Amino acid sequence: MIPGKYRSVSGRAANNVNCGLHLVIQPSSLPEKNKVEFKLNRDTPSFPGRLLQHDLERNYSSRQGDHINLVNSSMPSFPILQHSSEEKSLYSDRLTLERQKLTVCPIIDGEEHLRLLNFQHNFITRIQNISNLQRLIFLDLYDNQIEEISGLSTLRSLRVLLLGKNRIKKISNLENLINLDVLDLHGNQITKIENVNHLCDLRVLNLARNLLSHVDNLTGLDSLTELNLRHNQIAFVRDVDHLPSLQRLFLSFNNISSFDSVSCLADSTSLSDITFDGNPIAQESWYKHTVLQNMTQLRQLDMRRITEEERRMASVVAKKEEEKKRESQKQSLLKEKKRLTINNVARHWDLQQRVANNATNQDRKDSASPPQDPCQTEGSTISPFPEDTGAVDSGLTSALQSLSVIDTHLVEVDGDTLSLYGSGALESLDRNWSVQTAGMITTVSFTFIEFDEIVQVLPKLKIKLPNSLHLKFKETNLAMLQQFNALAQLRRIDQLTVDPQGNPVVNFTLWKYYVLFRLSHFSMQKINGTEVTQNDMIMAERLFGILAHVASSELPQYHLISILGDARKKQFRYLLETKGKKPGIVNEENNDSKRLVGENTNRATLNYTTREFYNEKLEDIKEKKKFCKMYIEDLVKEATEINMKNEALQKLWPQMFIELVRDAVIETRNKNSYMKLCLQQITDQK
């Protein structure tokens, strides 16, 4: 026996494995009706595929004139094949019955020593009648119609089993073939890899052109060096890293779309040759670099040798991809942190609103008198706010205090937008903003922040972010039209967005017109994404124009000066000159031909007082009232005492006068003594 090499059994590679035998059917001159004569032609073996080491193949010299008799047995469905004595001596270990249109396996009589049997290109539907060939090493049943693997349990010496291009749906009945070296099942209808874990000596497994959707259950194939899985429907691969000897893996033309679905390949230390061409993954730009990065031991990819330059480029790309991955993970982490922070801010805001509502409701219940009208201070409207009194739900207070102060606000700069979540975010306006960042921001968004708290930082916003043109308000408790008055102190506003969520003022039909009227000096372009038209401006003036005139006319001069300040004195004098005119005339003249630069003076009188400032003013008024009361009481007490003393003096004065005159007469009666007494008093004083 001469050691040699078998061709790989990939695709049609096994089609031409005929071991040099070709059976030609010829009419015989024998008189027997049941006898058919066959002529065997010897040809040189042809193996057009990859060579595989095998120690059982033999080289045969070419011979012609061999005859085999195929005789009908007593069972008419199975023909009997017989060798002559001379043929047995010449071709004792191999037999080829290729392309004989056989539908069943013939009974091979007296050939127990046979080692190679070829049934290629027939119509056999079942493996049978070969159980007596226990020394058989090579069995080729390529291109038949076999539906089930069976009839092989006695062939314990079998090393090569070729069952390609049949109709097999399941791998089974291979339990006794423990010495199997090559198993070719390509071109069948197999959907699952199974029942092969015991084949510890198997070196080549060909499952190309089947119906496999995944690869797993390969443990135990410790000798497997080549696995062919081309032309299946495989989407993911597992257990390949458990094959210690695997060198070549062919996965061409499957459904693999990402390296993650075949990530186990990266853990294999033996793989040197792999193919992915024909898969979606092979169309990706990162394909080659990712494979080379994760499988550094590869020598060939898609049947092409890997160069050192490709490895170097893969290393460079891998580093860049790693950096991108880290950056992506960082961005994902930041997004998740942002989401959690916003949720926390929203929860904190909701608790605050519930606490405030409970406090307000409790205050109304405890109040004996109905709610008072808005406070009027010398013509200037101050918005009423209930004082923070009354019992608060202890459960809500406890929940509010249990929230961590950390992550209860968020400051985010995204392009030209500054987003502030939570009242703590307003502190960011106290930071030292770079000129570039501050100049870039044109949109400022406020979310989950009380509008009164926003009003307090508007002067800082005007200075820190001079290019902010678009303000957004969401969940800010914008509830009254007069709150928009506070926005007049900004430098400029081109767009205003007030989200209906958490801003009840949007429910007022005329709120947009009031904004256009009060902030007319900004010449706003959009409100809530809608373009502002000239008709909108005219309507706003008609609806609220009289309001500014009334407000400025009713204010005392001293209070008006305190509102307008020194910079408005000229405008104030102009206002006094037009006070006597009718409101309609004043508005028309002021708004068109006589409009002054900046905010209109009449509109400037419509200001907004925050709750804190209002409470501070109330406290100041209370202190002044208390001081005045005490001062008046002291004056009354002093006047009363003076009056009482005067009345007592009037009663005592007649008697006192008599006594004074009497003492004076007695004292001056002796002129010399009186003079001495006076001189003595003068001397004592010196």
Side-chain angles (χ1 to χ4, degrees), residues 464-475:
K464 296 284 187 179
L465 307 175
N467 295 330
S468 57
L469 305 176
H470 185 188
L471 297 184
K472 295 182 178 181
F473 298 95
K474 182 178 180 180
E475 292 285 1

Side-chain angles (χ1 to χ4, degrees), residues 250-268:
F250 306 110
L251 289 165
S252 305
F253 301 100
N254 280 283
N255 296 330
I256 299 170
S257 58
S258 68
F259 191 81
D260 291 339
S261 61
V262 293
S263 58
C264 65
L265 301 179
D267 298 326
S268 175

Side-chain angles (χ1 to χ4, degrees), residues 449-455 473 476-478 483 486-487 608:
I449 308 175
E450 285 283 351
F451 184 80
D452 284 1
E453 297 183 31
I454 298 174
V455 172
F473 298 95
T476 57
N477 276 343
L478 258 169
Q483 287 177 296
L487 301 180
Y608 173 67

Side-chain angles (χ1 to χ4, degrees), residues 388-444:
D388 294 331
T389 58
V392 179
D393 185 4
S394 59
L396 289 176
T397 304
S398 175
L400 186 61
Q401 292 176 351
S402 65
L403 282 176
S404 174
V405 179
I406 302 174
D407 294 335
T408 56
H409 67 272
L410 176 66
V411 179
E412 181 186 30
V413 178
D414 185 9
D416 61 351
T417 302
L418 171 64
S419 300
L420 305 176
Y421 299 86
S423 58
L426 297 176
E427 298 177 1
S428 64
L429 296 176
D430 293 327
R431 302 174 185 171
N432 294 324
W433 290 76
S434 66
V435 177
Q436 182 179 2
T437 303
M440 180 178 60
I441 294 174
T442 59
T443 302
V444 182

Side-chain angles (χ1 to χ4, degrees), residues 66-101:
D66 304 320
H67 290 80
I68 296 178
N69 293 330
L70 193 60
V71 183
N72 286 351
S73 68
S74 57
M75 297 178 62
S77 60
F78 296 111
I80 301 174
L81 188 147
Q82 293 179 341
H83 261 140
S84 65
S85 300
E86 182 181 356
E87 291 166 350
K88 287 182 180 181
S89 62
L90 292 175
Y91 313 111
S92 60
D93 61 350
R94 59 179 57 193
L95 174 63
T96 295
L97 295 174
E98 181 179 340
R99 301 182 188 277
Q100 302 303 311
K101 299 182 181 180

Side-chain angles (χ1 to χ4, degrees), residues 585-599:
I585 299 175
V586 172
N587 288 332
E588 292 175 2
E589 293 178 351
N590 288 353
N591 293 333
D592 297 324
S593 60
K594 297 183 180 180
R595 177 176 293 181
L596 299 173
V597 178
E599 185 182 8

Side-chain angles (χ1 to χ4, degrees), residues 59-336:
N59 294 326
Y60 292 85
S61 60
S62 298
R63 296 182 62 91
Q64 295 183 358
D66 304 320
H67 290 80
I68 296 178
N69 293 330
L70 193 60
V71 183
N72 286 351
S73 68
S74 57
M75 297 178 62
S77 60
F78 296 111
I80 301 174
L81 188 147
Q82 293 179 341
H83 261 140
S84 65
S85 300
E86 182 181 356
E87 291 166 350
K88 287 182 180 181
S89 62
L90 292 175
Y91 313 111
S92 60
D93 61 350
R94 59 179 57 193
L95 174 63
T96 295
L97 295 174
E98 181 179 340
R99 301 182 188 277
Q100 302 303 311
K101 299 182 181 180
L102 297 173
T103 59
V104 296
C105 295
I107 298 174
I108 304 175
D109 188 22
E111 301 291 340
E112 289 78 9
H113 56 282
L114 203 63
R115 307 183 72 137
L116 186 150
L117 182 59
N118 181 0
F119 284 115
Q120 281 191 23
H121 306 293
N122 283 288
F123 304 100
I124 298 171
T125 59
R126 184 178 179 184
I127 305 173
Q128 53 190 346
N129 300 326
I130 61 172
S131 59
N132 60 319
L133 307 178
Q134 297 184 12
R135 299 184 64 184
L136 195 64
I137 294 174
F138 190 108
L139 177 59
D140 188 351
L141 286 160
Y142 172 78
D143 190 17
N144 280 277
Q145 298 179 11
I146 299 169
E147 297 182 357
E148 181 184 9
I149 302 174
S150 61
L152 303 175
S153 59
T154 61
L155 307 182
R156 296 180 179 274
S157 298
L158 195 64
R159 301 292 299 275
V160 179
L161 178 59
L162 308 181
L163 289 169
K165 202 175 179 182
N166 278 279
R167 300 177 182 179
I168 299 170
K169 297 181 180 180
K170 182 178 180 181
I171 304 174
S172 59
N173 299 318
L174 300 177
E175 290 77 10
N176 294 332
L177 306 184
I178 56 176
N179 294 316
L180 205 60
D181 186 76
V182 176
L183 177 60
D184 179 12
L185 293 169
H186 84 277
N188 283 281
Q189 303 171 22
I190 298 170
T191 59
K192 182 180 179 182
I193 300 176
E194 56 186 338
N195 301 319
V196 295
N197 307 92
H198 63 287
L199 303 176
C200 57
D201 290 336
L202 190 67
R203 291 192 303 115
V204 178
L205 176 60
N206 187 355
L207 290 169
R209 297 185 183 275
N210 277 279
L211 303 176
L212 298 174
S213 60
H214 59 279
V215 178
D216 57 5
N217 198 22
L218 294 172
T219 55
L221 302 178
D222 296 341
S223 300
L224 194 66
T225 60
E226 180 177 313
L227 178 60
N228 189 347
L229 299 168
R230 290 188 179 101
H231 294 281
N232 277 277
Q233 303 168 14
I234 297 170
F236 64 90
V237 177
R238 296 175 184 165
D239 291 349
V240 173
D241 53 322
H242 296 156
L243 303 175
S245 303
L246 187 65
Q247 298 176 10
R248 293 173 294 277
L249 175 62
F250 306 110
L251 289 165
S252 305
F253 301 100
N254 280 283
N255 296 330
I256 299 170
S257 58
S258 68
F259 191 81
D260 291 339
S261 61
V262 293
S263 58
C264 65
L265 301 179
D267 298 326
S268 175
T269 58
S270 58
L271 265 176
S272 61
D273 190 354
I274 194 168
T275 64
F276 285 113
D277 54 302
N279 283 274
I281 189 177
Q283 305 300 321
E284 302 291 343
S285 58
W286 45 262
Y287 158 62
K288 178 177 287 189
H289 303 304
T290 302
V291 173
L292 295 182
Q293 172 195 354
N294 290 276
M295 304 180 67
T296 57
Q297 78 281 6
L298 282 184
R299 290 184 297 179
Q300 286 194 151
L301 176 62
D302 296 335
M303 308 302 292
R304 293 181 59 186
R305 182 168 293 278
I306 300 168
T307 64
E308 290 301 322
E309 178 64 17
E310 288 176 328
R311 294 187 189 277
R312 188 186 66 81
M313 290 300 299
S315 178
V316 173
V317 173
K319 290 180 180 179
K320 292 182 179 179
E321 291 294 332
E322 187 65 26
E323 292 177 358
K324 290 182 180 180
K325 185 177 180 180
R326 285 198 297 266
E327 183 63 24
S328 177
Q329 290 176 345
K330 180 180 178 182
Q331 293 300 325
S332 300
L333 182 62
L334 290 176
K335 287 181 180 179
E336 182 63 15

